[in-house]
Amino acid sequence: MSLPDLSYLSPAQQAAFLEGPALPPPPGVIPDFDNPSNGNRFSVGIEISCIVVTSVFFTVRLYVSWFVFKKLFLNDVFLILAYGLSIGYYGLVLDSINQVGYLIHQWDVRYKDLFYMIRSFIITPTLYGLSIMFIKTAIVLEWLRIFNPRGTRGFFYWGSCAVLLVNFLFYGSTAFTFNLACRPFERYWNPFIQGTCYYDVFKLDLPAGVINFVVDLMIFLLPHKVIWQLQLSLKKKLGVAAIFAVGLFAIASACCRVIWTVWLLRSDDIIYRVTALGLWVSAEMTCGIIVFCVPSVPKAVASLNSFKIWNSFKSWPRFSESTPKDFNTDPSLSNNSQNSYQKLDGQSSLPLQKLGPVTLTKPCSLTAHKSRSGLDNSSILRTTHVTSRSHDDIDRVTAEDQFNRQHPWAVATDELQEH
């Protein structure tokens, strides 16, 4: 979409032009500038959800890198850059929703608001292109770190290098292309100044969307080729593949973006189509960050389980653990012998076996000790006095001691009688 050159208009004509509709309405349709139909609530919900989900996975990934592995990798740096750019994109979309609206028809928008939206449409592709370039670079580097042994130069390695090369060349050139189409730069959205636009940047969306879809598909297929060659059971392969299958959402978003781009080129209602395309772009960036961060989720959960405070919560007695032994319904517990020992929690019927005698590999030399002490073999080294009492004796002694403490005169009388 290129705006006509209106620099020849007088200030009064420019003011009147800015208050008119940005697109002639269809026959029988009256423009509504004050309360037009829109999808603002839906769009705000999408953007807020993207911000929350992206921030959660971003935090999980940095937590694992910083607190579990104790270092930041190169792909973590790319993640930080991608996250910052994506937050800038989401913020600019929310500002556009607040200023003009999203999913709104162009004939319900004044020309002065169209200028604002076009400026947003020029800046957001740059943020998207750089963000998606960094996040896809981080993903491929992560795949190389996980699936490619150091020093190996196979199909997976060279395929990943090819994806990295295409990724940098394509998204880097796209960012420059979107920002070099018009001179001066303000001529993109301001038709009242003199300048030149060399090409229509919106016509670049379709080839860019197709290449973006192909790159997403290649990134998705690279790890799955390695996963299905692992020496694992089918169940474990499916589990690992399911973690990396999140990339299907990114592929679906890229595919929908291509479809909406085709519709955009066939329609004059630019604002409605571009805003809908922008929502798919938000979903694609969010899915890209999820794809990179989701392998770190199991490691984060495992590290949280190792915290002492977490273990203290887990060790709190539950009802099933505090049930009295008389109410134990496990029949296997009653079949164990009396000489075996059981766990106190009553949840396991596995007896604890008695330990056998331990043989010292290097026994103590008593003879050497005697010779150093100057003692012969007939000398007594140590005597030990052991007193053994039965339960009856202990009860009787305890009762006598208690009687004597409570009746000291009786003790004195017995002593006098003995004398």
Side-chain angles (χ1 to χ4, degrees), residues 216-242:
D216 285 348
L217 188 61
M218 293 176 63
I219 293 177
F220 173 77
L221 294 178
L222 277 174
H224 284 273
K225 183 181 183 300
V226 179
I227 290 172
W228 292 104
Q229 293 177 349
L230 296 176
Q231 300 298 323
L232 298 174
S233 63
L234 178 60
K235 183 178 180 180
K236 291 184 178 180
K237 288 182 180 180
L238 290 174
V240 176

PDB file of all heavy atoms in Angstrom, residues 216-242:
ATOM      1  N   ASP A 216      10.365 -22.675   9.278  1.00  0.00           N
ATOM      2  CA  ASP A 216       9.719 -23.298  10.436  1.00  0.00           C
ATOM      3  C   ASP A 216       9.600 -24.806  10.258  1.00  0.00           C
ATOM      4  O   ASP A 216       9.804 -25.586  11.204  1.00  0.00           O
ATOM      5  CB  ASP A 216       8.334 -22.691  10.651  1.00  0.00           C
ATOM      6  CG  ASP A 216       8.400 -21.297  11.247  1.00  0.00           C
ATOM      7  OD1 ASP A 216       9.490 -20.901  11.689  1.00  0.00           O
ATOM      8  OD2 ASP A 216       7.365 -20.597  11.263  1.00  0.00           O
ATOM      9  N   LEU A 217       9.252 -25.235   9.056  1.00  0.00           N
ATOM     10  CA  LEU A 217       9.106 -26.669   8.793  1.00  0.00           C
ATOM     11  C   LEU A 217      10.444 -27.386   8.906  1.00  0.00           C
ATOM     12  O   LEU A 217      10.525 -28.490   9.467  1.00  0.00           O
ATOM     13  CB  LEU A 217       8.508 -26.868   7.403  1.00  0.00           C
ATOM     14  CG  LEU A 217       8.112 -28.291   7.023  1.00  0.00           C
ATOM     15  CD1 LEU A 217       7.034 -28.815   7.973  1.00  0.00           C
ATOM     16  CD2 LEU A 217       7.614 -28.346   5.583  1.00  0.00           C
ATOM     17  N   MET A 218      11.512 -26.779   8.428  1.00  0.00           N
ATOM     18  CA  MET A 218      12.839 -27.390   8.524  1.00  0.00           C
ATOM     19  C   MET A 218      13.288 -27.493   9.979  1.00  0.00           C
ATOM     20  O   MET A 218      13.860 -28.513  10.396  1.00  0.00           O
ATOM     21  CB  MET A 218      13.843 -26.576   7.708  1.00  0.00           C
ATOM     22  CG  MET A 218      13.599 -26.607   6.208  1.00  0.00           C
ATOM     23  SD  MET A 218      14.745 -25.539   5.306  1.00  0.00           S
ATOM     24  CE  MET A 218      16.312 -26.317   5.699  1.00  0.00           C
ATOM     25  N   ILE A 219      13.046 -26.446  10.753  1.00  0.00           N
ATOM     26  CA  ILE A 219      13.420 -26.481  12.170  1.00  0.00           C
ATOM     27  C   ILE A 219      12.635 -27.565  12.908  1.00  0.00           C
ATOM     28  O   ILE A 219      13.164 -28.232  13.812  1.00  0.00           O
ATOM     29  CB  ILE A 219      13.196 -25.100  12.808  1.00  0.00           C
ATOM     30  CG1 ILE A 219      14.181 -24.081  12.216  1.00  0.00           C
ATOM     31  CG2 ILE A 219      13.357 -25.152  14.319  1.00  0.00           C
ATOM     32  CD1 ILE A 219      13.987 -22.672  12.734  1.00  0.00           C
ATOM     33  N   PHE A 220      11.387 -27.758  12.519  1.00  0.00           N
ATOM     34  CA  PHE A 220      10.569 -28.784  13.170  1.00  0.00           C
ATOM     35  C   PHE A 220      11.055 -30.195  12.823  1.00  0.00           C
ATOM     36  O   PHE A 220      11.073 -31.084  13.688  1.00  0.00           O
ATOM     37  CB  PHE A 220       9.110 -28.618  12.744  1.00  0.00           C
ATOM     38  CG  PHE A 220       8.212 -29.723  13.222  1.00  0.00           C
ATOM     39  CD1 PHE A 220       7.772 -29.772  14.534  1.00  0.00           C
ATOM     40  CD2 PHE A 220       7.812 -30.721  12.349  1.00  0.00           C
ATOM     41  CE1 PHE A 220       6.942 -30.793  14.978  1.00  0.00           C
ATOM     42  CE2 PHE A 220       6.982 -31.746  12.778  1.00  0.00           C
ATOM     43  CZ  PHE A 220       6.545 -31.780  14.096  1.00  0.00           C
ATOM     44  N   LEU A 221      11.463 -30.417  11.578  1.00  0.00           N
ATOM     45  CA  LEU A 221      11.834 -31.767  11.139  1.00  0.00           C
ATOM     46  C   LEU A 221      13.231 -32.166  11.587  1.00  0.00           C
ATOM     47  O   LEU A 221      13.506 -33.365  11.746  1.00  0.00           O
ATOM     48  CB  LEU A 221      11.737 -31.858   9.617  1.00  0.00           C
ATOM     49  CG  LEU A 221      10.336 -31.726   9.018  1.00  0.00           C
ATOM     50  CD1 LEU A 221      10.404 -31.775   7.498  1.00  0.00           C
ATOM     51  CD2 LEU A 221       9.406 -32.817   9.544  1.00  0.00           C
ATOM     52  N   LEU A 222      14.125 -31.217  11.795  1.00  0.00           N
ATOM     53  CA  LEU A 222      15.509 -31.550  12.134  1.00  0.00           C
ATOM     54  C   LEU A 222      15.628 -32.433  13.380  1.00  0.00           C
ATOM     55  O   LEU A 222      16.253 -33.497  13.317  1.00  0.00           O
ATOM     56  CB  LEU A 222      16.328 -30.269  12.302  1.00  0.00           C
ATOM     57  CG  LEU A 222      16.869 -29.631  11.020  1.00  0.00           C
ATOM     58  CD1 LEU A 222      17.532 -28.303  11.329  1.00  0.00           C
ATOM     59  CD2 LEU A 222      17.862 -30.566  10.333  1.00  0.00           C
ATOM     60  N   PRO A 223      15.062 -32.064  14.533  1.00  0.00           N
ATOM     61  CA  PRO A 223      15.246 -32.923  15.712  1.00  0.00           C
ATOM     62  C   PRO A 223      14.483 -34.241  15.627  1.00  0.00           C
ATOM     63  O   PRO A 223      14.918 -35.239  16.212  1.00  0.00           O
ATOM     64  CB  PRO A 223      14.716 -32.062  16.864  1.00  0.00           C
ATOM     65  CG  PRO A 223      13.740 -31.144  16.226  1.00  0.00           C
ATOM     66  CD  PRO A 223      14.282 -30.857  14.868  1.00  0.00           C
ATOM     67  N   HIS A 224      13.364 -34.272  14.912  1.00  0.00           N
ATOM     68  CA  HIS A 224      12.570 -35.502  14.869  1.00  0.00           C
ATOM     69  C   HIS A 224      13.292 -36.607  14.103  1.00  0.00           C
ATOM     70  O   HIS A 224      13.117 -37.793  14.410  1.00  0.00           O
ATOM     71  CB  HIS A 224      11.205 -35.213  14.233  1.00  0.00           C
ATOM     72  CG  HIS A 224      10.275 -34.497  15.157  1.00  0.00           C
ATOM     73  ND1 HIS A 224       9.454 -35.155  16.055  1.00  0.00           N
ATOM     74  CD2 HIS A 224      10.042 -33.185  15.365  1.00  0.00           C
ATOM     75  CE1 HIS A 224       8.753 -34.285  16.745  1.00  0.00           C
ATOM     76  NE2 HIS A 224       9.092 -33.078  16.355  1.00  0.00           N
ATOM     77  N   LYS A 225      14.102 -36.258  13.141  1.00  0.00           N
ATOM     78  CA  LYS A 225      14.888 -37.282  12.452  1.00  0.00           C
ATOM     79  C   LYS A 225      15.859 -37.957  13.412  1.00  0.00           C
ATOM     80  O   LYS A 225      16.089 -39.173  13.351  1.00  0.00           O
ATOM     81  CB  LYS A 225      15.654 -36.645  11.290  1.00  0.00           C
ATOM     82  CG  LYS A 225      16.450 -37.646  10.467  1.00  0.00           C
ATOM     83  CD  LYS A 225      17.197 -36.945   9.353  1.00  0.00           C
ATOM     84  CE  LYS A 225      17.941 -37.958   8.482  1.00  0.00           C
ATOM     85  NZ  LYS A 225      18.934 -38.739   9.250  1.00  0.00           N
ATOM     86  N   VAL A 226      16.432 -37.169  14.313  1.00  0.00           N
ATOM     87  CA  VAL A 226      17.370 -37.726  15.290  1.00  0.00           C
ATOM     88  C   VAL A 226      16.624 -38.495  16.377  1.00  0.00           C
ATOM     89  O   VAL A 226      17.072 -39.556  16.828  1.00  0.00           O
ATOM     90  CB  VAL A 226      18.224 -36.600  15.902  1.00  0.00           C
ATOM     91  CG1 VAL A 226      19.198 -37.151  16.940  1.00  0.00           C
ATOM     92  CG2 VAL A 226      18.972 -35.857  14.813  1.00  0.00           C
ATOM     93  N   ILE A 227      15.470 -37.979  16.812  1.00  0.00           N
ATOM     94  CA  ILE A 227      14.714 -38.614  17.904  1.00  0.00           C
ATOM     95  C   ILE A 227      14.320 -40.038  17.546  1.00  0.00           C
ATOM     96  O   ILE A 227      14.470 -40.975  18.346  1.00  0.00           O
ATOM     97  CB  ILE A 227      13.468 -37.771  18.244  1.00  0.00           C
ATOM     98  CG1 ILE A 227      13.891 -36.460  18.918  1.00  0.00           C
ATOM     99  CG2 ILE A 227      12.515 -38.547  19.151  1.00  0.00           C
ATOM    100  CD1 ILE A 227      12.756 -35.489  19.118  1.00  0.00           C
ATOM    101  N   TRP A 228      13.838 -40.245  16.319  1.00  0.00           N
ATOM    102  CA  TRP A 228      13.368 -41.574  15.934  1.00  0.00           C
ATOM    103  C   TRP A 228      14.501 -42.534  15.618  1.00  0.00           C
ATOM    104  O   TRP A 228      14.263 -43.718  15.371  1.00  0.00           O
ATOM    105  CB  TRP A 228      12.427 -41.465  14.748  1.00  0.00           C
ATOM    106  CG  TRP A 228      11.156 -40.777  15.131  1.00  0.00           C
ATOM    107  CD1 TRP A 228      10.787 -39.504  14.857  1.00  0.00           C
ATOM    108  CD2 TRP A 228      10.095 -41.329  15.911  1.00  0.00           C
ATOM    109  NE1 TRP A 228       9.570 -39.213  15.400  1.00  0.00           N
ATOM    110  CE2 TRP A 228       9.116 -40.323  16.059  1.00  0.00           C
ATOM    111  CE3 TRP A 228       9.877 -42.574  16.504  1.00  0.00           C
ATOM    112  CZ2 TRP A 228       7.937 -40.515  16.768  1.00  0.00           C
ATOM    113  CZ3 TRP A 228       8.707 -42.775  17.215  1.00  0.00           C
ATOM    114  CH2 TRP A 228       7.755 -41.757  17.344  1.00  0.00           C
ATOM    115  N   GLN A 229      15.748 -42.059  15.643  1.00  0.00           N
ATOM    116  CA  GLN A 229      16.895 -42.938  15.496  1.00  0.00           C
ATOM    117  C   GLN A 229      17.549 -43.281  16.833  1.00  0.00           C
ATOM    118  O   GLN A 229      18.516 -44.036  16.865  1.00  0.00           O
ATOM    119  CB  GLN A 229      17.943 -42.281  14.580  1.00  0.00           C
ATOM    120  CG  GLN A 229      17.482 -42.135  13.134  1.00  0.00           C
ATOM    121  CD  GLN A 229      18.493 -41.413  12.267  1.00  0.00           C
ATOM    122  OE1 GLN A 229      19.451 -40.831  12.770  1.00  0.00           O
ATOM    123  NE2 GLN A 229      18.286 -41.427  10.964  1.00  0.00           N
ATOM    124  N   LEU A 230      17.022 -42.739  17.933  1.00  0.00           N
ATOM    125  CA  LEU A 230      17.582 -43.021  19.249  1.00  0.00           C
ATOM    126  C   LEU A 230      17.272 -44.456  19.663  1.00  0.00           C
ATOM    127  O   LEU A 230      16.239 -45.026  19.292  1.00  0.00           O
ATOM    128  CB  LEU A 230      17.011 -42.043  20.280  1.00  0.00           C
ATOM    129  CG  LEU A 230      17.363 -40.564  20.093  1.00  0.00           C
ATOM    130  CD1 LEU A 230      16.639 -39.714  21.124  1.00  0.00           C
ATOM    131  CD2 LEU A 230      18.865 -40.338  20.188  1.00  0.00           C
ATOM    132  N   GLN A 231      18.164 -45.033  20.457  1.00  0.00           N
ATOM    133  CA  GLN A 231      17.968 -46.392  20.965  1.00  0.00           C
ATOM    134  C   GLN A 231      17.100 -46.347  22.221  1.00  0.00           C
ATOM    135  O   GLN A 231      17.545 -46.574  23.346  1.00  0.00           O
ATOM    136  CB  GLN A 231      19.333 -47.042  21.268  1.00  0.00           C
ATOM    137  CG  GLN A 231      20.255 -47.152  20.075  1.00  0.00           C
ATOM    138  CD  GLN A 231      19.664 -48.037  18.980  1.00  0.00           C
ATOM    139  OE1 GLN A 231      19.015 -49.046  19.258  1.00  0.00           O
ATOM    140  NE2 GLN A 231      19.898 -47.666  17.726  1.00  0.00           N
ATOM    141  N   LEU A 232      15.828 -46.028  22.020  1.00  0.00           N
ATOM    142  CA  LEU A 232      14.865 -45.921  23.099  1.00  0.00           C
ATOM    143  C   LEU A 232      13.627 -46.728  22.757  1.00  0.00           C
ATOM    144  O   LEU A 232      13.403 -47.088  21.597  1.00  0.00           O
ATOM    145  CB  LEU A 232      14.474 -44.450  23.341  1.00  0.00           C
ATOM    146  CG  LEU A 232      15.574 -43.482  23.771  1.00  0.00           C
ATOM    147  CD1 LEU A 232      15.027 -42.062  23.821  1.00  0.00           C
ATOM    148  CD2 LEU A 232      16.148 -43.871  25.126  1.00  0.00           C
ATOM    149  N   SER A 233      12.836 -47.005  23.775  1.00  0.00           N
ATOM    150  CA  SER A 233      11.562 -47.675  23.529  1.00  0.00           C
ATOM    151  C   SER A 233      10.618 -46.728  22.798  1.00  0.00           C
ATOM    152  O   SER A 233      10.803 -45.513  22.788  1.00  0.00           O
ATOM    153  CB  SER A 233      10.940 -48.123  24.857  1.00  0.00           C
ATOM    154  OG  SER A 233      10.645 -46.996  25.673  1.00  0.00           O
ATOM    155  N   LEU A 234       9.599 -47.313  22.200  1.00  0.00           N
ATOM    156  CA  LEU A 234       8.651 -46.499  21.438  1.00  0.00           C
ATOM    157  C   LEU A 234       7.955 -45.492  22.340  1.00  0.00           C
ATOM    158  O   LEU A 234       7.718 -44.349  21.943  1.00  0.00           O
ATOM    159  CB  LEU A 234       7.617 -47.412  20.765  1.00  0.00           C
ATOM    160  CG  LEU A 234       6.521 -46.701  19.952  1.00  0.00           C
ATOM    161  CD1 LEU A 234       7.142 -45.889  18.833  1.00  0.00           C
ATOM    162  CD2 LEU A 234       5.515 -47.714  19.420  1.00  0.00           C
ATOM    163  N   LYS A 235       7.645 -45.884  23.577  1.00  0.00           N
ATOM    164  CA  LYS A 235       6.972 -44.986  24.502  1.00  0.00           C
ATOM    165  C   LYS A 235       7.839 -43.786  24.824  1.00  0.00           C
ATOM    166  O   LYS A 235       7.357 -42.638  24.852  1.00  0.00           O
ATOM    167  CB  LYS A 235       6.612 -45.739  25.786  1.00  0.00           C
ATOM    168  CG  LYS A 235       5.841 -44.910  26.796  1.00  0.00           C
ATOM    169  CD  LYS A 235       5.481 -45.749  28.014  1.00  0.00           C
ATOM    170  CE  LYS A 235       4.715 -44.904  29.032  1.00  0.00           C
ATOM    171  NZ  LYS A 235       4.362 -45.702  30.233  1.00  0.00           N
ATOM    172  N   LYS A 236       9.139 -44.004  25.056  1.00  0.00           N
ATOM    173  CA  LYS A 236      10.029 -42.900  25.369  1.00  0.00           C
ATOM    174  C   LYS A 236      10.256 -42.012  24.153  1.00  0.00           C
ATOM    175  O   LYS A 236      10.365 -40.792  24.269  1.00  0.00           O
ATOM    176  CB  LYS A 236      11.365 -43.429  25.896  1.00  0.00           C
ATOM    177  CG  LYS A 236      11.257 -44.070  27.267  1.00  0.00           C
ATOM    178  CD  LYS A 236      12.613 -44.498  27.779  1.00  0.00           C
ATOM    179  CE  LYS A 236      12.503 -45.097  29.177  1.00  0.00           C
ATOM    180  NZ  LYS A 236      13.818 -45.515  29.694  1.00  0.00           N
ATOM    181  N   LYS A 237      10.322 -42.610  22.970  1.00  0.00           N
ATOM    182  CA  LYS A 237      10.463 -41.804  21.758  1.00  0.00           C
ATOM    183  C   LYS A 237       9.262 -40.889  21.563  1.00  0.00           C
ATOM    184  O   LYS A 237       9.402 -39.721  21.192  1.00  0.00           O
ATOM    185  CB  LYS A 237      10.635 -42.712  20.545  1.00  0.00           C
ATOM    186  CG  LYS A 237      11.983 -43.400  20.452  1.00  0.00           C
ATOM    187  CD  LYS A 237      12.071 -44.233  19.197  1.00  0.00           C
ATOM    188  CE  LYS A 237      13.425 -44.924  19.083  1.00  0.00           C
ATOM    189  NZ  LYS A 237      13.522 -45.751  17.856  1.00  0.00           N
ATOM    190  N   LEU A 238       8.066 -41.440  21.819  1.00  0.00           N
ATOM    191  CA  LEU A 238       6.859 -40.620  21.691  1.00  0.00           C
ATOM    192  C   LEU A 238       6.863 -39.478  22.706  1.00  0.00           C
ATOM    193  O   LEU A 238       6.426 -38.361  22.411  1.00  0.00           O
ATOM    194  CB  LEU A 238       5.619 -41.487  21.865  1.00  0.00           C
ATOM    195  CG  LEU A 238       5.324 -42.484  20.734  1.00  0.00           C
ATOM    196  CD1 LEU A 238       4.141 -43.372  21.106  1.00  0.00           C
ATOM    197  CD2 LEU A 238       5.044 -41.744  19.427  1.00  0.00           C
ATOM    198  N   GLY A 239       7.356 -39.757  23.921  1.00  0.00           N
ATOM    199  CA  GLY A 239       7.415 -38.704  24.936  1.00  0.00           C
ATOM    200  C   GLY A 239       8.360 -37.588  24.553  1.00  0.00           C
ATOM    201  O   GLY A 239       8.036 -36.405  24.712  1.00  0.00           O
ATOM    202  N   VAL A 240       9.547 -37.950  24.039  1.00  0.00           N
ATOM    203  CA  VAL A 240      10.501 -36.925  23.620  1.00  0.00           C
ATOM    204  C   VAL A 240       9.968 -36.150  22.424  1.00  0.00           C
ATOM    205  O   VAL A 240      10.083 -34.921  22.342  1.00  0.00           O
ATOM    206  CB  VAL A 240      11.866 -37.575  23.290  1.00  0.00           C
ATOM    207  CG1 VAL A 240      12.841 -36.540  22.765  1.00  0.00           C
ATOM    208  CG2 VAL A 240      12.434 -38.249  24.528  1.00  0.00           C
ATOM    209  N   ALA A 241       9.364 -36.888  21.477  1.00  0.00           N
ATOM    210  CA  ALA A 241       8.824 -36.222  20.293  1.00  0.00           C
ATOM    211  C   ALA A 241       7.690 -35.270  20.650  1.00  0.00           C
ATOM    212  O   ALA A 241       7.516 -34.229  20.008  1.00  0.00           O
ATOM    213  CB  ALA A 241       8.346 -37.259  19.280  1.00  0.00           C
ATOM    214  N   ALA A 242       6.908 -35.623  21.682  1.00  0.00           N
ATOM    215  CA  ALA A 242       5.791 -34.758  22.082  1.00  0.00           C
ATOM    216  C   ALA A 242       6.289 -33.418  22.610  1.00  0.00           C
ATOM    217  O   ALA A 242       5.642 -32.378  22.400  1.00  0.00           O
ATOM    218  CB  ALA A 242       4.950 -35.460  23.149  1.00  0.00           C
TER     219      ALA A 242
END
